[in-house]
C-alpha cells in the first residue's frame, strides 16, 4: 500500500477505561478517546462517525471481544485498534488490558488478554493493522525481548504495526492535571500540529520518531514500535504542517487587495483571498449599500453557490443583531450552531456548509457562523464606519480556527476595509478631478503665477471644496503646511479640512468658515500631536458659477499661543503651590450656579445647566455641591521662626497632600496665605464629613523640612452651594463654619 487509508474500507476502534473499581482512576483517558475519534473521524482519515467507534468503560470482556471482531470483519483496507488504561500482567507475564472490574489478584479472569487482540487481527481481511497501546508494560504486545521466538508468536496479520507507550517492564504515565495521558498527549500533538518540513503525508515510522523525540524532551518513557512487511514506510496521515512549494500566502492576498483596479475587482479579491490565502473553503463579501443594507457583492469557493447567493440583500437591522451575538473573537464575531435557530427567520443571505457534524466541541459544525466586519479606521476621533462583512464558510481543517488563524482573518478584514474604501475614493477623486479641470479652464492664463505663489508661500495654504456633499475636502496644499503637519501632499488629499482639526475646535471652525472668517484652532500632526494655527479664509471664485473653492491661509502661532496659555495659567493659579487661586475657584463655582434658587431640575431654557440644590434638611443620601475651606493653625509661627522659604515648602507639601486625597475631578485651590479650599461635587453630607476628616488627617502628618519634623494643624468648614447663591456667599458661609470649628474641641466638625 502506498496511499492513505480508504475511508469506506477502513475502521478504527478506540477502547479506553477511566474508572476502575479497585485500580486507580485515569480521568484523562476519556479525553484521549474523544480527541482521537475527532482526529481520525475528520482531519486525519475522514472516516466519519459510523466507521470510527468509541468504547469507553466496557462492561465485560465479551463486549470488547465482540467490538474487535466486528471491526476486524468490516475492515478490508486499514484497521486501527487503540487502547488506553491500565496494563496488567498475569502470573506468566502475559499482557492483559484492564477493564473497570479488573483486579491485580485475578488478572486472567477480569482483564482482556492481549492474545485475543492478536487472534482478532489475524482473522481480519485488512491489508494493514495498526495497534496503539497506551498502558503499562505495553511493549509486551510485541513479545518479551528475552525470548527471541516471541516475535514470531506475534502472528498478527501481514502488514501489522504495533505502537506501545512503554517498554515491557516500564509503566506508562498519566500526569495529574494534564488533559491527556503522557503518550497520547504527545501523539495528539504530532497528529494535530504535523511535522515542519516533512512531506504532505506522514508514514508510521516518521510519526514514531517524532513521538519519541517529543517524549524524550519531556523526560518521559520511550515509546516502542514493531512492524511487519515494512508497513511503517507507507503513508499514514496527512501532515498539517506541510506547506506546498507554490502556496498562495496571506501577504500575497493582501497585496492583491491593493492592486485591484476597480471596486468590483477589489471586492472579488477580498473573497478570493479568504479562500486562497487563509485556508477557508468558502467566503463571500456583504457590502454596505447607500441605504445601509448589505448586499452579497462577491463570492469565492463554489461556483454553484455563487450563482444563487450573489446579489441577495440582508437588512442592516438583521446584521446589527448578528454582530452583537455569539462570541467576540477580537473584532470577529463567532455564532455557534447552538445559537443558530434564532437566526433562521432573519433575511441575512447564507450558504450552509456540506460537512460532517463533529464529535468534539473544537470541530466545525455545518451551522457554525463566522463573520469578519470590515471597518475603516477612525481619524481625529471620528467613529469607525462599517464598510461590509466577510462571511466565512468553514475551515479546511474542519476545526474552529485557532488564535493565529483568527488574528490573520481579523488583520485581513482590516486591510480589506481600507482597500474597498480606497477603491471608492479613487472613483470619487476621478470625478472630482474632472470637475476641477472644468472649473479651472477660465483661469488657465494665471495658473502658473498662482501655482508659484501658492507652492512657495512661507505660510501654509490649502484649497478645499466649498458647498455640496464634498464641502471642506482638501484638494491642494503647499509645502509649508505639509512641513508644519509632517504629512505629505498626497496624504492630505485624503482628508476633509475638518478631519485635521482638534475635536474641541470643530465648533470654532464651523463658525468662521465663511469668507473673511478668522479662527485660532489646533491642527493634527502626523505624530498625533497638535499645532496651534491661525486661519484666514478667502473664496476662489469661478467667474461663471460663483464661489466654488475655499482658500485658507494657515499661520503657525504655536509660540504665541503657548505664551498666552502660560499667562492665563499664571493669572488663574498660585505661583507657590501651582493650585488654582481664589479668582479661578470663584469662576469655577459661579459657572455651576444660576440666579434662580427655586427652579426645579431640568426646567427653563438652559437644559444644559444642572440645577444645584443643597442636601441640608433633605433625605440622608441627597447629593450636592460642597465647598470645604481649610485654615492652617500655627503656620505663622513656622514663617516667623524658620523663614518664608520653609513656610513655602510647608504650603507646597500641604497642597500635594490635599490634591492626593481629593477625588478625581474635584478642584483644590489656595485661597489665601495659609488657606485652602476644595470643591467636592455630587457628594452627600456623610461623604463630605468623611472627606474633611481624610483631608485633615493628611495635613496633620509630620512634615520634614531641612531635617526638622513640623506638625501643622488645620481647621475645616463645610458649606453647601445652591443655585441663587454667589461664589462669594458660599465661601463666606464656609469660612464662618470653619471659624466655629476652629474653636471647637473636635478636630473636624461642621
Amino acid at each position: 500500500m502506498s496511499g492513505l487509508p480508504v475511508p469506506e474500507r477502513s475502521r478504527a476502534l478506540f477502547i479506553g477505561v477511566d474508572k476502575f473499581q479497585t485500580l486507580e482512576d485515569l480521568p484523562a483517558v476519556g479525553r484521549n478517546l474523544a480527541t482521537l475519534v475527532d482526529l481520525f473521524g475528520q482531519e486525519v482519515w475522514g472516516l466519519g462517525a459510523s466507521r470510527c467507534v468509541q468504547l469507553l468503560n466496557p462492561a465485560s470482556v465479551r463486549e470488547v471481544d465482540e467490538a474487535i471482531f466486528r471491526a476486524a470483519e468490516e475492515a478490508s483496507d486499514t484497521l486501527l485498534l487503540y487502547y488506553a488504561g491500565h496494563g496488567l500482567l498475569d502470573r506468566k507475564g502475559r499482557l492483559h488490558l484492564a477493564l473497570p472490574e479488573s483486579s491485580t489478584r485475578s488478572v486472567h479472569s477480569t482483564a482482556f488478554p492481549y492474545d485475543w487482540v492478536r487472534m482478532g487481527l489475524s482473522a481480519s481481511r485488512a491489508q494493514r493493522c495498526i495497534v496503539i497501546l497506551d498502558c503499562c508494560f505495553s511493549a509486551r504486545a510485541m513479545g518479551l525481548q528475552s525470548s527471541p521466538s516471541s516475535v514470531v508468536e506475534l502472528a498478527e496479520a501481514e502488514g501489522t504495526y504495533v505502537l506501545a507507550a512503554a517498554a515491557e517492564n516500564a509503566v506508562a504515565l498519566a500526569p495529574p492535571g494534564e488533559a491527556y495521558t503522557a503518550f497520547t498527549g504527545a501523539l495528539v500533538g504530532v497528529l494535530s500540529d504535523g511535522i515542519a518540513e516533512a512531506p504532505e503525508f506522514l508514514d508510521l515510522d516518521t510519526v514514531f520518531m517524532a513521538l519519541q523525540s517529543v517524549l524524550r524532551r519531556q523526560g518521559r518513557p520511550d515509546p516502542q514500535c514493531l512492524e511487519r512487511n515494512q508497513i511503517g514506510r507507507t503513508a499514514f496521515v496527512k501532515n498539517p504542517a506541510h506547506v506546498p512549494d507554490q502556496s498562495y500566502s496571506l501577504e500575497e492576498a493582501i497585496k492583491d487587495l491593493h492592486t485591484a483596479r476597480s471596486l468590483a475587482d477589489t471586492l472579488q479579491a477580498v473573497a478570493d483571498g479568504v479562500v486562497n490565502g487563509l485556508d477557508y473553503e468558502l467566503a463571500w463579501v456583504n457590502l454596505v449599500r447607500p441605504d445601509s443594507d448589505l448586499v452579497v457583492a462577491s463570492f469565492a469557493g463554489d461556483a454553484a453557490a455563487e450563482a444563487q447567493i450573489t446579489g441577495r440583500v440582508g437588512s442592516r437591522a438583521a446584521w446589527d443583531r448578528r454582530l452583537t451575538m455569539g462570541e467576540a473573537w477580537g473584532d470577529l464575531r463567532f455564532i455557534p450552531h447552538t445559537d443558530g435557530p434564532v437566526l433562521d427567520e432573519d433575511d441575512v443571505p447564507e450558504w450552509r456548509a456540506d460537512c460532517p457534524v463533529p464529535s468534539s466541541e473544537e470541530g466545525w459544525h455545518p451551522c457554525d457562523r463566522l463573520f469578519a466586519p470590515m471597518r475603516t479606521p477612525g481619524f481625529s476621533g471620528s467613529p469607525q464606519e462599517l464598510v461590509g462583512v466577510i462571511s466565512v464558510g468553514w475551515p479546511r481543517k474542519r476545526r474552529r480556527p485557532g488564535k493565529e488563524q483568527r488574528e490573520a482573518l481579523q488583520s485581513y478584514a482590516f486591510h480589506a476595509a481600507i482597500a474597498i474604501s480606497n477603491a471608492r475614493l479613487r472613483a470619487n477623486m476621478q470625478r472630482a478631478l474632472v470637475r476641477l479641470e472644468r472649473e479651472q479652464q477660465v483661469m488657465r492664463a494665471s495658473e502658473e503665477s498662482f501655482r508659484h505663489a501658492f507652492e512657495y508661500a512661507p505660510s501654509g495654504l490649502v484649497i478645499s471644496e466649498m458647498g455640496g456633499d464634498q464641502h471642506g475636502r482638501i484638494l491642494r496644499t503647499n509645502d509649508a503646511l505639509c512641513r508644519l503637519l509632517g504629512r505629505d501632499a498626497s496624504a492630505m488629499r485624503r482628508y476633509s479640512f475638518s478631519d485635521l482639526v482638534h475635536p474641541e475646535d470643530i465648533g470654532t471652525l464651523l463658525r468662521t468658515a465663511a469668507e473673511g472668517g478668522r479662527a485660532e484652532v489646533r491642527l493634527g500632526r502626523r505624530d498625533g500631536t497638535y499645532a496651534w494655527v491661525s486661519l484666514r479664509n478667502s473664496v476662489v471664485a469661478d467667474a461663471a458659477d460663483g464661489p466654488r473653492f475655499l482658500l485658507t491661509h494657515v499661520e503657525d502661532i504655536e509660540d504665541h499661543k503657548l505664551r498666552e496659555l502660560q499667562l492665563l495659567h499664571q493669572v488663574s493659579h498660585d505661583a507657590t503651590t501651582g493650585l488654582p487661586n481664589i479668582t479661578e475657584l470663584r469662576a469655577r463655582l459661579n459657572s455651576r450656579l444660576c440666579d434662580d434658587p427655586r427652579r426645579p431640575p431640568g426646567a427653563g431654557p438652559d437644559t444644559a445647566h444642572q440645577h444645584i440644590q443643597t442636601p441640608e434638611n433633605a433625605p440622608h443620601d441627597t447629593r450636592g455641591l460642597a465647598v470645604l475651606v481649610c485654615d492652617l493653625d500655627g503656620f505663622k509661627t513656622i514663617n516667623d521662626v524658620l523663614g518664608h522659604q520653609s513656610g513655602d515648602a510647608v504650603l507646597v507639601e500641604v497642597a500635594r497632600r490635599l490634591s492626593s486625597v481629593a477625588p478625581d475631578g474635584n478642584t483644590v485651590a489656595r485661597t489665601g496665605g495659609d488657606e485652602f479650599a476644595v470643591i467636592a461635587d455630587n457628594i452627600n453630607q456623610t461623604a463630605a464629613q468623611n472627606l474633611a476628616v481624610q483631608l485633615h488627617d493628611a495635613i496633620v502628618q509630620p512634615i520634614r523640612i531641612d531635617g526638622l519634623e513640623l506638625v501643622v494643624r488645620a481647621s475645616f468648614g463645610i458649606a453647601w452651594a445652591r443655585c441663587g447663591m454667589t461664589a462669594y456667599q458660599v465661601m463666606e458661609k464656609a469660612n464662618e463654619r470653619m471659624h466655629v470649628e476652629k474653636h471647637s474641641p473636635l478636630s473636624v466638625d461642621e
Side-chain angles (χ1 to χ4, degrees), residues 567-648:
L567 290 174
L568 289 175
H569 187 273
Q570 292 172 4
V571 170
S572 61
H573 286 70
D574 172 54
T576 301
T577 63
L579 296 176
N581 57 24
I582 183 64
T583 302
E584 178 66 11
L585 179 73
R586 288 174 177 168
R588 295 185 184 184
L589 194 54
N590 279 327
S591 69
R592 296 295 313 279
L593 304 175
C594 69
D595 297 333
D596 188 352
R598 295 179 302 279
R599 186 163 60 121
D606 186 7
T607 57
H609 172 67
Q610 182 181 359
H611 200 65
I612 304 299
Q613 297 282 5
T614 175
E616 295 176 310
N617 301 320
H620 178 70
D621 59 348
T622 302
R623 297 174 179 267
L625 181 66
V627 176
L628 295 80
V629 296
C630 164
D631 179 68
L632 303 182
D633 300 330
F635 177 76
K636 183 176 182 301
T637 303
I638 295 175
N639 262 346
D640 293 343
V641 175
L642 300 179
H644 289 286
Q645 185 174 358
S646 297
D648 288 348

Side-chain angles (χ1 to χ4, degrees), residues 372-387:
M374 297 179 290
R375 294 186 173 93
T376 58
F379 295 103
S380 303
S382 61
Q384 293 181 326
E385 178 186 358
L386 183 68
V387 175

Side-chain angles (χ1 to χ4, degrees), residues 11 69 75 175 310 473 530 601 613 625 705:
R11 297 293 184 270
F69 177 82
T310 302
R473 186 163 192 80
Y530 286 88
Q613 297 282 5
L625 181 66
I705 304 294

Side-chain angles (χ1 to χ4, degrees), residues 315-326 333 335 339-348 371:
S315 65
R316 182 60 176 265
W319 271 110
D320 287 343
R321 180 191 182 198
R322 289 196 173 206
L323 295 181
T324 57
M325 291 181 61
R333 183 63 60 170
I335 304 178
D339 296 345
V342 299
L343 301 177
D344 290 341
E345 300 302 323
D346 70 16
D347 59 359
V348 171
F371 303 118

Side-chain angles (χ1 to χ4, degrees), residues 640-661:
D640 293 343
V641 175
L642 300 179
H644 289 286
Q645 185 174 358
S646 297
D648 288 348
V650 171
L651 292 174
V652 170
E653 178 60 17
V654 170
R656 185 193 67 78
R657 295 181 181 183
L658 291 175
S659 299
S660 66
V661 173

Side-chain angles (χ1 to χ4, degrees), residues 532-591:
W532 276 103
V533 298
S534 173
L535 306 181
R536 185 171 68 252
N537 293 329
S538 303
V539 175
V540 178
D542 187 305
D545 301 329
R548 298 302 299 274
F549 306 106
L550 199 63
L551 175 65
T552 303
H553 177 264
V554 183
E555 182 181 358
D556 183 4
I557 60 168
E558 184 82 4
D559 293 338
H560 166 75
K561 199 66 180 180
L562 289 177
R563 288 194 298 271
E564 178 182 310
L565 294 175
Q566 289 172 355
L567 290 174
L568 289 175
H569 187 273
Q570 292 172 4
V571 170
S572 61
H573 286 70
D574 172 54
T576 301
T577 63
L579 296 176
N581 57 24
I582 183 64
T583 302
E584 178 66 11
L585 179 73
R586 288 174 177 168
R588 295 185 184 184
L589 194 54
N590 279 327
S591 69

Side-chain angles (χ1 to χ4, degrees), residues 125 149 194 227 259 276 291 319 356 411 443 605-606 674 696 700 722-723 740 746:
R125 296 180 297 117
S149 63
E227 65 171 319
T259 56
N276 298 328
D291 63 0
W319 271 110
S411 174
M443 56 174 59
D606 186 7
D674 59 354
H696 176 270
V700 300
R722 71 174 185 276
C723 288
V740 172
L746 300 176

